Amino acid sequence: MHIKEEQKERHTLAVIVDNEPGILARIAGLFTARGYNIESLTVSEITEDNRISRITIVTSASDAVMEQIIAQLERLVPVHKVTDLTAFGPHVERELALVKVAGTGDHRIEALRLAEVYRARVVDATISSFVFEVTGGSEKIDKFVELMREVGLVEVARTGVVAISRGKEAA
């Protein structure tokens, strides 16, 4: 008997929750307890009175597992709404990274040239290093970091993915 393994697909979830202590730990615990991996996690308050937060989670799962994850998240009391932006339709995803590169001479010139191509901004500079700020999709940032390894990558700090649906409808 051959069991067919379901295809895993990358999903971006938008979870609207009450902004209360411990909710992030409960959501992360839900993933951990069931062996689901969180690839990216960002949180921000979204109402003027700071009572509601939006948690953006990127994970990879089959469609069946994704349905389970969403159902389990929706059962948590402080969760108002869970939207799988991947299934919802077109959406915009962005990430921010700070990339520190050290180098002199040709390496320094090449780092600046690559930064221009990737529209990265110099946010700090010394005689021997730069810190670049680059925004875009995760693939763009991955590629920028890979190229910077060639010219003197020192350190990378990334925010994680933020995402929102396209069009006038809220997800």
Side-chain angles (χ1 to χ4, degrees):
M1 183 167 118
H2 181 54
I3 299 174
K4 185 180 175 186
E5 189 174 313
E6 290 191 55
Q7 185 75 19
K8 285 186 175 183
E9 183 180 327
R10 183 178 177 273
H11 292 265
T12 303
L13 302 177
V15 185
I16 307 301
V17 300
D18 287 338
N19 187 16
E20 62 181 45
I23 184 58
L24 185 58
R26 289 178 62 197
I27 288 174
L30 182 146
F31 277 77
T32 302
R34 289 157 182 82
Y36 307 142
N37 187 40
I38 295 175
E39 296 171 17
S40 175
L41 178 76
T42 58
V43 184
S44 64
E45 296 168 339
I46 59 170
T47 57
E48 198 171 302
D49 62 4
N50 300 329
R51 290 186 179 180
I52 305 293
S53 289
R54 178 187 183 104
I55 301 172
T56 305
I57 302 168
V58 177
T59 189
S60 291
S62 66
D63 289 339
V65 169
M66 200 69 243
E67 286 178 27
Q68 287 180 333
I69 290 171
I70 292 169
Q72 291 165 355
L73 285 170
E74 288 173 334
R75 281 192 218 122
L76 294 176
V77 171
V79 172
H80 294 273
K81 183 178 180 183
V82 179
T83 304
D84 181 353
L85 292 171
T86 306
F88 186 78
H91 62 282
V92 177
E93 290 186 13
R94 290 293 178 266
E95 187 175 358
L96 167 86
L98 296 175
V99 180
K100 185 184 293 184
V101 179
T104 57
D106 289 343
H107 286 278
R108 188 172 177 84
I109 293 166
E110 184 64 11
L112 285 169
R113 189 188 68 74
L114 288 168
E116 187 177 331
V117 169
Y118 279 82
R119 296 189 179 136
R121 290 186 331 122
V122 176
V123 293
D124 184 58
T126 68
I127 292 173
S128 60
S129 70
F130 291 108
V131 175
F132 296 106
E133 174 188 285
V134 60
T135 59
S138 296
E139 298 81 22
K140 174 186 174 182
I141 292 173
D142 290 343
K143 187 64 179 172
F144 182 73
V145 169
E146 179 184 322
L147 291 169
M148 287 298 152
R149 285 187 206 290
E150 306 284 324
V151 294
L153 180 70
V154 174
E155 186 176 11
V156 177
R158 294 175 77 154
T159 60
V161 173
V162 292
I164 196 162
S165 63
R166 291 185 182 267
K168 64 181 182 175
E169 305 297 322

